[in-house]
């Protein structure tokens, strides 16, 4: 006779947890790099793709977390309001998508200061941070605690990190850019994938489907990450809708914004060791 399964560490009746997340709001990074020749506030990722994504999320009753650059809060106030009105979380993704691991301690402090001023003007209180590039610096933990940030979403391990900040990690294969973008060829090769992919949409969908089943068996957590600026054709939107449908269909998996998952992990820290 097989032994009974271990008790779930997630709220009953759930076996695992998923957060659907989005990154990069508009042209913040392009403006930083001097690559945006158009009027501010006209990026099609926000004006065209994001409304379609929000409609799909509403259709499947999924609340998401959008890690948005603070620079974009004043450029896209209507988009921010739409996100909040729909019950989605707006979290922090740096000021203008600066690669976080390259910042000096002084530049980090400046980034916090500028970002918190923009958030104050927009009426937003950040609870979470995803470092652009996926890596966090040793000095960042203290700044996160000082500014009241309760969780961080880098590459890493699920659990309680330094300064008591919850870690809700993502992994590269769960990011649409890993499969879609040429600049990720080296990272794909490092992960044992082909540099050039014949059908990246199917590869992404296949990996997510397998990973969702894995976390159901192991009691794990998955952060799914889609960028609005990459949803550029009907094939990608069809794949996105199929993924959202599969997420919503798993009734024994808790689908929640990062802030809700982080609050649960913090309140049940004995079940979530580690975190880095």
């Amino acid at each position: 006779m097989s032994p009974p399964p271990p008790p779930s560490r997630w709220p009953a009746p759930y076996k695992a947890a998923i957060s659907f997340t989005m990154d990069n709001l508009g042209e913040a990074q392009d403006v930083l790099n001097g690559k945006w020749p158009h009027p501010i506030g006209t990026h099609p990722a926000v004006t065209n793709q994001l409304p379609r994504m929000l409609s799909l999320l509403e259709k499947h009753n999924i609340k998401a977390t959008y890690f948005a650059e603070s620079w974009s809060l004043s450029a896209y106030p209507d988009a921010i309001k739409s996100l909040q009105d729909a019950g989605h979380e707006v979290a922090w993704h740096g000021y203008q998508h600066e690669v976080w691991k390259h910042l000096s301690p002084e530049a980090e402090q400046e980034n916090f200061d500028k970002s918190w001023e923009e958030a104050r003007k927009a009426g937003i209180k950040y609870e979470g941070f995803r470092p652009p590039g996926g890596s966090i610096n040793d000095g960042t933990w203290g700044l996160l605690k000082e500014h009241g940030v309760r969780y961080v979403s880098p590459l890493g391990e699920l659990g309680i990190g330094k300064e008591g900040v919850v870690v809700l990690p993502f992994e590269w294969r769960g990011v649409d850019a890993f499969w879609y973008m040429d600049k990720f060829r080296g990272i794909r090769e490092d992960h044992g994938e082909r540099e050039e992919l014949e059908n990246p949409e199917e590869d992404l969908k296949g990996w997510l489907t397998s990973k969702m089943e894995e976390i159901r068996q192991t009691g794990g957590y998955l952060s799914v990450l889609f960028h609005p600026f990459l949803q550029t054709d009907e094939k990608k939107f069809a794949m996105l809708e199929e993924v959202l449908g599969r997420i919503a269909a798993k009734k024994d998996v808790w689908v929640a914004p990062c802030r809700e998952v982080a609050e649960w992990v913090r309140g049940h820290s004995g079940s979530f060791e580690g975190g880095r």
Side-chain angles (χ1 to χ4, degrees), residues 28-51:
Q29 185 180 24
D30 287 337
V31 171
L32 174 67
N33 296 330
K35 296 181 178 179
W36 185 252
H38 312 292
I40 298 299
T42 61
H43 201 295
V46 183
T47 60
N48 296 336
Q49 283 99 286
L50 180 57

Side-chain angles (χ1 to χ4, degrees), residues 135-204:
S135 298
I136 193 168
N137 301 321
D138 287 341
T140 308
W141 298 98
L143 288 169
L144 292 172
K145 181 180 181 181
E146 176 186 336
H147 286 77
V149 178
R150 300 170 69 81
Y151 74 86
V152 65
S153 182
L155 297 163
E157 297 177 2
L158 176 67
I160 308 296
K162 296 177 183 179
E163 303 289 354
V165 177
V166 173
V167 179
L168 300 181
F170 74 91
E171 51 185 299
W172 282 126
R173 287 190 177 92
V175 180
D176 59 352
F178 175 90
W179 305 94
Y180 290 170
M181 296 185 72
D182 286 342
K183 75 175 188 177
F184 280 82
R185 283 182 295 178
I187 297 177
R188 288 198 294 268
E189 184 179 23
D190 291 342
H191 284 71
E193 303 288 346
R194 300 183 304 277
E195 290 187 37
E196 299 290 344
L197 302 175
E198 295 179 2
N199 197 335
E201 292 87 0
E202 288 299 318
D203 290 333
L204 170 57

